[in-house]
Amino acid sequence: MKRQFKDKTILVVDDDPGILEVIKIILEDRGYFVRTLAEGSFVEKEVEKELPGLILIDLWMSGGDGHEVIQKLRKKETTKKIPIIALSALNNGEEIAKKAGADDFLGKPFNIEDLFFLVKKHL
Amino acid sequence: MANILKREGEILKVITKNTKVLLAYLDRDFNFVEVNSAYAKSSGCKKKDLIGKNHFQLFPHKENERIFRQVKKTGKTAEFYRKPFEYPNQPEKGVTYWDWTLVPIKNQKHQVAGFVFSLIDVTEDVKNDQEKERLLKQVELEKEKARQLAIEEEKRASELDAVFTALTDPLFVYDLEGICVSTNPAALEMLGVSPIGLTRQKIAQQFLVQDMGGHLLNNYNLPSSFTLRGEVINDYKLMITSVHGKKMVVLVSAAPIKIDNQVVGGVVTMRDISEKEELEKQKDAFIAVASHELKTPVTTLKAYTQILNNKFNKLRDERSQHYLNKMDQQLNKLTTLISELLDVTKIETGKLELHKEKNDLDQLVKEVIEDIQQITTTHQIIKKGKIEKKISLDKDRINQVITNLLLNAIKYSPKASRVIVNIFEEKDEVFIEVQDFGIGISKDNKDKIFDRFFRVKGNHGERFPGLGLGLFICSEIIKRHHGTIGVKSREDKGSTFFFTLPTKLHEEAI
């Protein structure tokens, strides 16, 4: 079962290239397929191309706010069931994430073990 | 002839007997020869006791005696008006006043042979006049007082006027009917028209008075209404729109005017704090952005540190792993510092919100101790006591407080090897004590230690790193939980920091 889930892609959305890169390294190291995206406004199109198994998305980005993206995905029939983990360095990030409809929240900076734990939980 | 004389003598007698004028005939040595009944009555003596007696033996009076002698010597009549006299034998009469004349009677040789002494009692008139004068004086005095008061009042009014004019904050004075009776140029400028004579409701309409939520204030809640009900308001934050359409945030203060404890009106003043508010907002936004942006590279650094740590773990390179752990700890510290900055901003702007839920405090203490134990190799943290009750608290924030106290205990006891966490219940409170065996705190510092930006210097002058915000934030968090925070300490012996939380739900929390 586990291997099968690992075949699914994780879409990581963050406007900071440094964070995109390190998350990609961490997750690929564990055998996940990772797609990255630096702008929130492109998420819908990207998701339509191929449904990811999980979305990791930053809440506060220059190119389209994460919480708005989450709300949009939650409204669409095709995307509303995709598990979403919100990431944020905002102190009240968890609250915003819950309101927007994210399944889980991971505060920045994070421990990579916590990241694995949440990814495993949803994939 | 003799008949005529006799008849005149009789008439004279009748007049003498019945007149109110006091009459006495004295011989040349001032002995009474004859007195009429008015004289005798007034002197308080019987006629027979007067006749033959010397006037000045009975009524000694140096000045009068001198005058009498003068009359005797010169043979000229003496005449006085309203001359005061006190009867030595009738002190109860007090000072009496007299119009009197002393007429010398001369014999054929033109020598003074006696005197006719006639007096009219004018005491009543004099006293009336004196009373009148006194009243007049009093009236004058009152007039003068009133004049002084008027001057004083005018002075005060002009002082007040100057204060009003100099005041850059708009000011409105209302009477009991809520009509504006006085104002200042600043109010005029803000309102565009003179508010004098306008009702407070009318003025409020001109301003579009809204609360901070944007709701229009009803009449009952207008600041002026509070004053007319006898209440004082301080720094009531409201939004108003000036006639020029400028939206402003104002701090309104207002107070009733009372005379003899009766409300007769009210004063309302407001201060435009829009600029300050805007700056505060910008500052908040800046710190929120700064904290967010600072955390972003820390996130990446921390992630790489952990990736490397995993690599070295696989390679069994413990030394490198050790270094990386140190790096990770420093990154955690950096994260804490960034969070503290944000917390302080929130505290200052009243935005530190708590998300309270019933929690197992005992378990929470255990978890924090475990977390801190993992990152300290120098100290053993010992938990004593137990709390059974579930407590309503914000788990993250209380975690933050305990963490802060434990890290402080370790930081300020570099030579010690243990820290004791003692928890217990007492009455309606739970106590959490963190005891260290470190440098302690001097008496002077004990009160300041929870102040913002306060930092302890070691007793030997050594400095400890940090922003001086940790305990300030802790105390604010505990305050918002309706608990208390404090410290017991002896220099060079160690400190015990404690905080309490109420076990019963505070009203506000229900």
Side-chain angles (χ1 to χ4, degrees):
Chain A
M1 284 295 277
K2 223 174 180 178
R3 280 247 37 106
Q4 194 187 340
F5 278 122
K6 277 202 175 179
D7 293 338
K8 286 199 176 174
T9 10
I10 301 172
L11 177 63
V12 185
V13 191
D14 199 310
D15 61 347
D16 185 89
I19 287 182
L20 275 186
E21 192 184 355
V22 76
I23 293 181
K24 191 173 157 77
I25 291 168
I26 292 165
L27 293 176
E28 282 183 346
D29 195 48
R30 293 274 170 128
Y32 293 101
F33 292 109
V34 178
R35 280 193 282 159
T36 59
L37 199 59
E39 276 193 55
S41 51
F42 295 159
V43 172
E44 278 180 280
K45 268 190 189 166
E46 186 68 27
V47 169
E48 272 169 27
K49 267 196 249 167
E50 190 194 332
L51 283 184
L54 174 69
I55 298 173
L56 279 175
I57 186 165
D58 186 47
L59 284 178
W60 198 21
M61 294 179 288
S62 47
D65 261 355
H67 65 98
E68 282 170 20
V69 176
I70 298 170
Q71 279 168 345
K72 276 183 193 163
L73 292 174
R74 285 293 180 243
K75 275 181 195 153
K76 269 193 183 169
E77 198 56 40
T78 46
T79 57
K80 73 176 181 191
K81 285 196 175 151
I82 304 173
I84 300 173
I85 299 169
L87 294 169
S88 184
L90 293 171
N91 275 34
N92 57 344
E94 189 159 9
E95 224 174 300
I96 299 171
K98 267 185 193 166
K99 264 188 204 159
D103 295 280
D104 263 310
F105 172 77
L106 187 61
K108 289 179 185 175
F110 53 81
N111 281 320
I112 56 178
E113 293 308 321
D114 293 337
L115 176 64
F116 288 140
F117 173 79
L118 287 179
V119 168
K120 270 186 212 157
K121 184 174 154 191
H122 294 288
L123 261 187
Chain B
M1 183 71 185
N3 270 348
I4 294 169
L5 273 177
K6 195 180 174 195
R7 192 172 151 66
E8 282 186 346
E10 285 301 317
I11 293 170
L12 208 62
K13 257 188 190 167
V14 173
I15 294 173
T16 308
K17 191 174 178 189
N18 293 305
T19 182
K20 278 183 184 161
V21 179
L22 277 59
L23 289 167
Y25 182 69
L26 307 171
D27 69 13
R28 61 189 312 271
D29 297 317
F30 312 125
N31 297 318
F32 287 104
V33 177
E34 182 62 58
V35 298
N36 71 349
S37 45
Y39 193 104
K41 193 182 170 202
S42 184
S43 71
C45 304
K46 282 181 179 156
K47 193 174 167 179
K48 65 175 170 64
D49 296 330
L50 289 170
I51 305 299
K53 299 273 166 53
N54 184 280
H55 181 282
F56 292 108
Q57 263 170 14
L58 285 174
F59 312 112
H61 196 284
K62 272 192 182 155
E63 193 195 341
N64 285 353
E65 195 174 344
R66 195 177 53 75
I67 295 165
F68 276 44
R69 288 192 191 285
Q70 190 72 16
V71 172
K72 185 178 168 183
K73 197 174 157 190
T74 58
K76 283 182 182 163
T77 300
E79 201 165 355
F80 289 92
Y81 293 98
R82 303 191 164 197
K83 196 154 177 24
F85 180 75
E86 274 178 86
Y87 282 101
N89 60 335
Q90 301 173 86
E92 70 280 0
K93 273 193 176 170
V95 182
T96 52
Y97 294 87
W98 305 90
D99 288 352
W100 61 260
T101 44
L102 187 71
V103 184
I105 306 291
K106 294 170 187 167
N107 59 17
Q108 280 124 345
K109 288 178 193 162
H110 295 286
Q111 289 167 323
V112 173
F115 306 89
V116 172
F117 187 27
S118 67
L119 309 96
I120 300 169
D121 185 353
V122 292
T123 307
E124 199 84 342
D125 295 351
V126 171
K127 288 206 168 150
N128 279 342
D129 284 356
Q130 278 178 348
E131 178 64 12
K132 247 189 240 165
E133 207 171 308
R134 198 183 62 78
L135 283 173
L136 266 173
K137 256 191 194 158
Q138 201 173 339
V139 167
E140 277 306 310
L141 220 68
E142 292 295 323
K143 268 191 195 162
E144 179 59 24
K145 252 192 213 164
R147 219 167 56 84
Q148 288 296 338
L149 263 174
I151 291 171
E152 199 65 27
E153 201 144 292
E154 206 183 310
K155 198 176 141 208
R156 275 225 301 273
S158 74
E159 273 170 12
L160 213 59
D161 209 47
V163 171
F164 275 28
T165 311
L167 210 62
T168 50
D169 295 344
L171 184 137
F172 303 88
V173 182
Y174 294 99
D175 67 10
L176 199 52
E177 269 74 53
I179 311 275
C180 183
V181 288
S182 189
T183 188
N184 65 346
L188 221 69
E189 193 187 328
M190 198 183 241
L191 200 63
V193 292
S194 168
I196 302 277
L198 296 184
T199 63
R200 59 202 178 79
Q201 288 94 340
K202 194 109 192 178
I203 293 169
Q205 277 168 18
Q206 297 255 4
F207 274 143
L208 278 176
V209 186
Q210 292 166 295
D211 63 20
M212 292 312 285
H215 306 291
L216 277 175
L217 243 56
N218 59 24
N219 279 341
Y220 187 84
N221 285 325
L222 287 177
S224 50
S225 306
F226 284 93
T227 67
L228 298 184
R229 290 196 296 269
E231 293 169 49
V232 175
I233 327 177
N234 279 318
D235 295 345
Y236 184 17
K237 210 193 248 187
L238 292 171
M239 286 194 296
I240 60 168
T241 312
S242 81
V243 273
H244 314 295
K246 188 182 156 204
K247 267 202 181 285
M248 286 175 280
V249 178
V250 291
L251 278 186
V252 179
S253 293
I257 305 169
K258 286 181 180 176
I259 293 177
D260 286 339
N261 234 6
Q262 284 281 316
V263 177
V264 295
V267 181
V268 176
T269 172
M270 50 182 81
R271 169 162 298 175
D272 182 1
I273 54 158
S274 312
E275 247 173 70
K276 198 174 146 235
E277 283 284 296
E278 189 51 39
L279 276 174
E280 280 293 317
K281 261 191 206 162
Q282 283 177 9
K283 190 186 102 186
D284 285 1
F286 173 76
I287 291 190
V289 171
S291 136
H292 181 266
E293 293 308 301
L294 286 168
K295 276 183 186 174
T296 304
V298 176
T299 305
T300 315
L301 273 171
K302 202 170 157 63
Y304 280 117
T305 315
Q306 291 172 77
I307 292 170
L308 280 174
N309 204 331
N310 288 347
K311 282 240 150 67
F312 287 124
N313 189 26
K314 274 178 200 156
L315 295 170
R316 296 177 193 281
D317 182 349
E318 280 181 20
R319 211 187 160 95
S320 300
Q321 258 186 295
H322 178 67
Y323 296 152
L324 281 169
N325 277 336
K326 295 237 171 210
M327 235 170 107
D328 197 46
Q329 278 173 28
Q330 293 304 318
L331 285 171
N332 285 343
K333 268 191 198 165
L334 188 55
T335 312
T336 308
L337 288 176
I338 297 165
S339 296
E340 278 182 358
L341 268 181
L342 198 64
D343 282 347
V344 168
T345 316
K346 281 185 173 178
I347 288 166
E348 281 175 347
T349 52
K351 285 175 193 151
L352 185 82
E353 285 167 17
L354 296 182
H355 303 285
K356 283 196 224 169
E357 273 173 36
K358 286 258 175 191
N359 270 292
D360 186 344
L361 184 57
D362 203 86
Q363 183 59 32
L364 181 62
V365 171
K366 258 187 219 163
E367 283 171 20
V368 180
I369 291 177
E370 274 171 30
D371 286 348
I372 306 295
Q373 192 64 76
Q374 276 185 8
I375 58 168
T376 174
T377 49
T378 49
H379 292 68
Q380 194 198 352
I381 307 167
I382 303 152
K383 176 176 173 284
K384 287 183 178 173
K386 193 166 172 61
I387 293 170
E388 307 275 356
K389 274 191 191 135
K390 293 222 167 176
I391 313 292
S392 169
L393 51 83
D394 183 321
K395 198 176 172 186
D396 291 340
R397 290 299 182 184
I398 294 300
N399 184 322
Q400 187 181 346
V401 174
I402 304 170
T403 303
N404 201 299
L405 295 184
L406 276 175
L407 290 177
N408 273 349
I410 293 167
K411 180 167 151 188
Y412 293 106
S413 66
K415 287 173 192 160
S417 59
R418 65 200 168 111
V419 171
I420 297 170
V421 180
N422 192 20
I423 59 176
F424 56 94
E425 286 178 43
E426 206 176 276
K427 286 180 186 166
D428 296 335
E429 286 178 319
V430 289
F431 280 75
I432 290 90
E433 295 181 343
V434 177
Q435 184 182 9
D436 70 54
F437 303 91
I439 60 166
I441 304 155
S442 71
K443 265 188 186 165
D444 292 347
N445 284 343
K446 252 186 219 173
D447 298 331
K448 299 185 221 152
I449 203 154
F450 296 103
D451 290 352
R452 196 171 54 144
F453 302 130
F454 182 78
R455 296 185 45 211
V456 170
K457 261 192 198 148
N459 301 330
H460 310 291
E462 60 268 45
R463 280 167 50 86
F464 290 87
L467 293 177
L469 292 174
L471 284 176
F472 168 67
I473 295 167
C474 287
S475 81
E476 290 296 321
I477 291 171
I478 298 303
K479 259 188 220 163
R480 281 164 174 71
H481 276 87
H482 308 288
T484 51
I485 190 163
V487 62
K488 296 173 274 186
S489 181
R490 279 176 63 196
E491 264 181 88
D492 293 324
K493 297 279 179 197
S495 309
T496 303
F497 279 85
F498 64 91
F499 68 88
T500 69
L501 295 173
T503 51
K504 285 186 178 161
L505 277 184
H506 196 276
E507 265 175 51
E508 198 186 87
I510 294 169

